[in-house]
Amino acid sequence: MSELLTDLQVVWFVVVVVLLTGYSILDGFDLGVGMLHMLSKKDEERRLMLNSIGPVWDGNEVWLVTAGGALFAGFPDVYATLCSAFYLPLMFLLCGLIFRAVAIEFRSKQPMAWWRWMWDVFFSMASLMIAFALGVAMGNMIRGIPLNEQMEFTGELVDLVHPYTLLVGIMTTALFAMHGAIYILMKTEGELHEKLRQWINPSIIFFIICYATTTMATLIYMPHMSKAIQDRPIFFLIGLLNMLAIANIPREIQRGRDYLAFASSCVNIMCLMALYAIGTFPNIVRAINAPDQLSLTLYNASSSALTLKILVIIALIGMPLVIAYTFSVYWIFHGKVKLEATSY
């Protein structure tokens, strides 16, 4: 029974990571489009950018909701601790999600320039808020937070604001901005497409600088993240694949193969999430004050074996349906975006 429980705990941990990876890839480019939205001055170009994500943005958010539900069902102690520790950041994140949704829907309801400009600002600022908040949360999960024996957060809000966590927040923002720029490049044509080609290189350079800085900071100040790779050198291949994917992005853009550049960006995100999962395993919430004694792991913070077994059965039924639906939506709306009477 204990071996079965251990296997189920690992499987559900992988499920949560996969859901978060799916969200990062899919809503990541939505957030990137939002952050770049204000760089365009023409209303028609902004509408094209908005309509490039119009059919899919709300469906992409479902991956975050599903990940939250999977965490609550499979690791309830982790869910409770994180909601307590990140209460204000979560409110910050939810405000960003709400304002982004409202801005997308309300922007084109009126033709006045001031009206559209106001919602454009909300859309861009909300996208920036969400990306940065997610990155800071990820940084705290890597660094750790103070916990007690009851698995409760014992720190203050200021404990979550650390140079390393802010650095991860900036890197996440740069990552999504680059991911979104490549996506818009893939979905547009004409004048906006050529203008986007001028935005791509700065976004790639900024991400690479943030990526290199964050990697150095992680290796120096978060040595626990590299221990798993030191113990199992095979995982170094993921880091190598990550670097090759990043290097391939400007190569494919230079050759005009925007879809392959976007695929490389997706592989980059998958590798980053895999490295995060490998580095933190088996911890889900690391206790910075006593990592070996007080951390919440997938072994001491999971639901019962029966609960996990039921969840895995549900996942085996539900995940293929979600993936099939996602692929079908993207297939239906593939190709270059066009403005129509019903467009945003």
Side-chain angles (χ1 to χ4, degrees):
M1 185 66 178
S2 60
E3 291 183 4
L4 175 61
L5 177 59
T6 300
D7 292 341
L8 290 171
Q9 289 165 333
V10 173
V11 167
W12 201 248
F13 176 77
V14 172
V15 168
V16 173
V17 173
V18 168
L19 289 171
L20 289 174
T21 304
Y23 172 76
S24 300
I25 292 172
L26 297 176
D27 206 34
F29 67 73
D30 293 339
L31 297 173
V33 171
M35 287 185 279
L36 298 172
H37 188 70
M38 291 299 291
L39 295 181
S40 181
K41 305 302 180 184
K42 296 181 180 179
D43 182 69
E44 181 182 355
E45 290 179 351
R46 291 183 179 178
R47 289 185 65 203
L48 282 169
M49 293 171 69
L50 195 58
N51 281 277
S52 69
I53 64 171
V56 297
W57 69 268
D58 48 354
N60 294 341
E61 283 187 354
V62 172
W63 286 76
L64 180 62
V65 177
T66 308
L71 189 66
F72 171 75
F75 303 103
D77 290 329
V78 172
Y79 185 89
T81 300
L82 291 181
C83 286
S84 175
F86 296 108
Y87 183 82
L88 288 178
L90 279 174
M91 293 300 104
F92 188 75
L93 174 65
L94 289 174
C95 285
L97 291 169
I98 292 168
F99 273 109
R100 183 180 68 156
V102 172
I104 291 173
E105 296 297 336
F106 276 39
R107 183 200 185 271
S108 298
K109 297 298 183 184
Q110 298 292 336
M112 297 87 75
W114 67 267
W115 173 272
R116 295 189 172 190
W117 182 86
M118 176 182 69
W119 291 114
D120 286 341
V121 171
F122 278 133
F123 178 45
S124 289
M125 292 304 297
S127 299
L128 179 62
M129 285 169 57
I130 296 166
F132 185 71
L134 289 171
V136 170
M138 184 71 73
N140 275 287
M141 298 290 282
I142 294 172
R143 177 174 177 262
I145 58 176
L147 300 174
N148 62 19
E149 291 79 2
Q150 287 73 45
M151 302 182 179
E152 296 175 347
F153 176 63
T154 58
E156 303 289 341
L157 179 62
V158 69
D159 295 321
L160 305 178
V161 182
H162 182 272
Y164 178 78
T165 62
L166 296 178
L167 179 61
V168 178
I170 294 171
M171 191 205 75
T172 304
T173 303
L175 170 64
F176 289 163
M178 179 188 71
H179 195 49
I182 298 170
Y183 177 78
I184 312 171
L185 189 68
M186 184 178 65
K187 293 290 290 182
T188 57
E189 57 188 355
E191 183 181 350
L192 177 59
H193 181 83
E194 296 306 315
K195 186 181 293 186
L196 283 164
R197 288 203 171 275
Q198 301 173 10
W199 298 355
I200 285 290
N201 284 339
S203 69
I204 294 173
I205 292 170
F206 181 53
F207 167 70
I208 290 175
I209 292 172
C210 294
Y211 171 80
T213 306
T214 306
T215 300
M216 287 190 296
T218 302
L219 293 174
I220 296 170
Y221 299 109
M222 308 293 159
H224 61 277
M225 290 297 291
S226 60
K227 189 176 184 305
I229 297 177
Q230 293 172 3
D231 295 340
R232 298 176 178 84
I234 188 67
F235 290 140
F236 181 78
L237 293 176
I238 299 176
L240 181 62
L241 178 61
N242 188 17
M243 290 185 286
L244 290 175
I246 295 171
N248 192 51
I249 292 172
R251 175 175 175 270
E252 298 299 348
I253 288 175
Q254 186 68 27
R255 297 187 175 190
R257 297 187 294 200
D258 304 329
Y259 63 97
L260 289 179
F262 183 73
S264 295
S265 184
C266 293
V267 172
N268 172 35
I269 294 175
M270 285 189 283
C271 289
L272 288 172
M273 290 299 296
L275 290 171
Y276 161 77
I278 292 167
T280 57
F281 186 90
N283 295 333
I284 303 178
V285 182
R286 183 173 183 266
I288 193 170
N289 49 323
D292 296 330
Q293 291 80 35
L294 301 179
S295 295
L296 274 67
T297 71
L298 55 95
Y299 303 121
N300 67 13
S302 73
S303 298
S304 66
L306 178 59
T307 301
L308 290 174
K309 188 184 297 185
I310 294 171
L311 289 174
V312 169
I313 294 172
I314 294 173
L316 289 174
I317 298 171
M319 284 295 289
L321 296 176
V322 171
I323 294 172
Y325 169 78
T326 301
F327 271 106
S328 65
V329 168
Y330 279 87
W331 175 254
I332 291 170
F333 293 101
H334 77 285
K336 304 295 184 178
V337 63
K338 307 284 186 181
L339 289 181
E340 300 175 355
T342 56
S343 300
Y344 285 109

